[in-house]
Each structure stands twice: as structure tokens, then as C-alpha cells.
Amino acid sequence: MFGYKAVSRWGVLLGIVVGVWLCSWGCSVPVVPSGETGQEVNTGKETSSEDPKEAAQETAQEVVQDAGETAQEKIAETTQELPSEPAQDGGNEGVPEATESAIENTSDADPKEISPDQSVGKIAIYMKGDLTPQTFTDGLSGQTPQNYQVALSRFEVLTSQNDTSPQLCFDHGKNAVIADMAKDNLMGSCLTQSLKTALYTYGRVKVEWVSYEVDGTVHASGQVLSGKLTIFRAFSTGTHQGRSYQAGDAVVRFMGFEFPIVAPPPISIPAIDFALVNGEFFVTFPYKRGLLVDGQDKGERWARFNWKIFEAFRWEDRTTAGYVKGRWDVGMTPQDTETVKIYGVTDYYITTSMD
């Protein structure tokens, strides 16, 4: 009845058990995973085939011949004007170089306009999961989500938290960039000269959806079925793996089936604002120091959105017979399922090139 073809008596029994369990939550059409993968930032330093200083020297010598100046003076002057590598504070993380495919995904930054020597200023946003071990005192059980993916589609900068005219850096539209939270990910970038010159104190991103796996045990009609359960949550209205979702929809996928769950609102984080506007979910966050944007700036400025995901799927264990402490136990009804208190992230923090 659910499209599950039994090949043995156990298969028949399993199909009946799973079917009864799913219908108790609310039946829905099976979803076949599409195999979406995140994009990893290439951390290798790209090098130009032409030495910028040698090119500058050749240019300077040509100018000297026309202007009558000495070669030594002009070469020294031109070399001093070459852009230097942006300095990094000792406590800052390095800025990964964007892969060619990642650059092509940015809507406002023409890859042909971004020169290898970074002579054109650029602003980029990165995203990664923070797996630093933490000590919890909430009395809950927890596990670190696996195959954790977050989809972002837009990034804006604001001069204040309530700026009514934010400046758009990039908008991927329906082609959201998917972050693999086990890695560092370039989500998009734009040319500095595309933004108005100003001191920007806030950034804002649009979150499309979040998906990850957890280990769990399903208890259905006396059967115990262990495996990986996929948690999917649509923060903005859109589509995922060929299915349409409304902002706020959340489902669990297990053995090819999907059933709805009720997910709590995002946890409250000081200074970070969550807002759902016309089906679009935005996260607005402050910079520790203002991001001064000047169209003449030739350096790369960046912000990194860090999610703390260590044991961030947290639930309340029950003493029900057959339920195992430290493993998420799911029953045939929501009332028989161990209550999830935190869905995948315990905190956020922002780091920038200006820190």
C-alpha cells in the first residue's frame, strides 16, 4: 500500500508495521533522496601564471621610455603601488580561496572581473559547523547530526539592524548554495564596488532549509527497527528533492517514507534576529566591528557564519520498556516518541576579516 515490495515474510511484516506506524503520524508520498551535496571551499592558494611585480616592472619601463624618467625611479614607484596580501590577525581564521564553480554561483560578481591578483575588491560570506566539544548541563541526551546540510540563497549588508535599504551582495534565487557543515563553505561573494560606500554593522542571510541525519530506533507493533532518520526542515517556502514545502514545515524520513513533525522555533540567541517575511526566513546578525565598504578598496573582506553543532540534536530520554538511554527512540505516535528539545544547533557566532 506504500509502494514497499516485500520479498519475504519478514518483508511483509516490516511493510505492515512501518505502514501502520507512518499512518499514525500522517501518511504522505514517499520521497527518494536526490543525492544533493554541499560545496566545499578549496583552501589551496591559487597562483597567477604571471608575476605581478615583473608585469609592473615591464609596464614601468615602457612608461619611462615615453616620459623620459629614469627606469629605477619608475620601477620603484610602480612596485610600491602594488596591492599587498591582506593581513590577518593572529586570532582570525584564514580566508579560503573560492573555487571556480563557487565563484560562478555568485550572481553579482562576474568571474571575469575578479583578477587573480585580487586587484578588484571583494566581499564574501562563508559558513561552517563548529564541532568543538561542549559540556551540557541540561539533563538531555544528545548526538551530533550527520550529513548536515544548510541551504542559503541571499546575503545583504545593513548599516543598522533596522536598515530599510539593505545592500544586496548576492542572491542565488532558486539555486541556493548548500553548505556541508563538516567543512568550510563559500556561500557567495560580490564586488566591493557594487555596494554603496558606507559603514555596515549588520549582515543578513536567507535560510532556505536544513537537513541532517540522526541515529534512532523505531518501535512499531512489537518490532524494533534501528537506523538513520533524516530530519528536514523548511525555513523558507520552496522546493526540496522535487517536493514543495511551506516555511515552517518539518518532516522525518525513514526507510523511504516521510511523515510530518512539529519543530520548535529557533533557539533565542542574543543580538541575532530571526524573521519570517512573506515565506522568506532571514537571520540578521551584527559584526563585532563595522564593515567599512569603499569602492576603491582592493582587498577581500569576509564574514563567516559559525553554527555550534556538537551534540546539537538533543532530546529527553524516557524510561519506557525497550527504550535505550542515549539513543533517540521513536514510537508509533508522537506521544510515544522521545521529545526533541533542540533541533541541530545550540548557538551561533560570527567572525569577520575586521575582527
Side-chain angles (χ1 to χ4, degrees), residues 10 14 17-18 216-220 223-227 229 254-255:
W10 166 248
L14 182 61
V17 168
V18 173
T217 301
V218 175
H219 303 264
Q223 302 298 320
V224 178
L225 311 173
S226 296
L229 292 84
F254 180 68
M255 296 181 63

Side-chain angles (χ1 to χ4, degrees), residues 66-289:
D66 294 336
E69 298 179 5
T70 64
Q72 293 81 359
E73 292 176 349
K74 195 63 181 177
I75 290 173
E77 176 183 348
T78 306
T79 302
Q80 291 176 357
E81 293 177 354
L82 285 173
S84 59
E85 292 287 339
Q88 296 182 7
D89 292 338
N92 284 344
E93 301 174 51
V95 182
E97 292 292 330
T99 60
E100 181 178 354
S101 60
I103 293 177
E104 290 176 349
N105 276 329
T106 62
S107 59
D108 293 283
D110 184 345
K112 296 180 181 179
E113 295 183 23
I114 301 178
S115 59
D117 62 0
Q118 293 189 4
S119 61
V120 177
K122 186 171 62 175
I123 296 176
I125 183 169
Y126 298 86
M127 189 170 191
K128 66 179 294 187
D130 185 344
L131 292 169
T132 303
Q134 301 180 66
T135 300
F136 296 95
T137 59
D138 54 15
L140 303 174
S141 288
Q143 60 175 289
T144 299
Q146 307 158 48
N147 296 324
Y148 204 144
Q149 297 182 336
V150 179
L152 299 185
S153 62
R154 190 186 309 170
F155 173 52
E156 302 167 327
V157 288
L158 303 82
T159 56
S160 67
Q161 187 172 10
N162 299 315
D163 187 354
T164 57
S165 300
Q167 290 290 293
L168 177 66
C169 182
F170 63 78
D171 188 349
H172 300 309
K174 295 182 179 180
N175 299 315
V177 173
I178 302 172
D180 178 348
M181 298 300 279
K183 304 171 183 177
D184 199 8
N185 308 266
L186 171 63
M187 306 308 292
S189 64
C190 61
L191 301 182
T192 306
Q193 62 190 22
S194 69
L195 305 176
K196 292 181 179 179
T197 298
L199 177 63
Y200 295 97
T201 55
Y202 282 82
R204 182 162 67 193
V205 295
K206 179 186 176 185
V207 182
E208 296 290 340
W209 52 262
V210 171
S211 176
Y212 54 81
E213 294 178 350
V214 295
D215 294 317
T217 301
V218 175
H219 303 264
S221 299
Q223 302 298 320
V224 178
L225 311 173
S226 296
K228 294 189 181 300
L229 292 84
T230 299
I231 311 295
F232 171 79
R233 183 171 181 175
F235 281 88
S236 296
T237 297
T239 60
H240 180 250
Q241 296 184 353
R243 292 285 304 279
S244 296
Y245 295 93
Q246 295 296 312
D249 286 350
V251 298
V252 171
R253 294 169 182 155
F254 180 68
M255 296 181 63
F257 299 97
E258 177 180 286
F259 56 94
I261 57 175
V262 178
I267 59 175
S268 177
I269 305 295
I272 294 183
D273 180 64
F274 303 102
L276 180 62
V277 181
N278 298 324
E280 297 181 308
F281 186 85
F282 294 97
V283 180
T284 302
F285 53 89
Y287 297 130
K288 291 180 181 178
R289 296 182 183 177

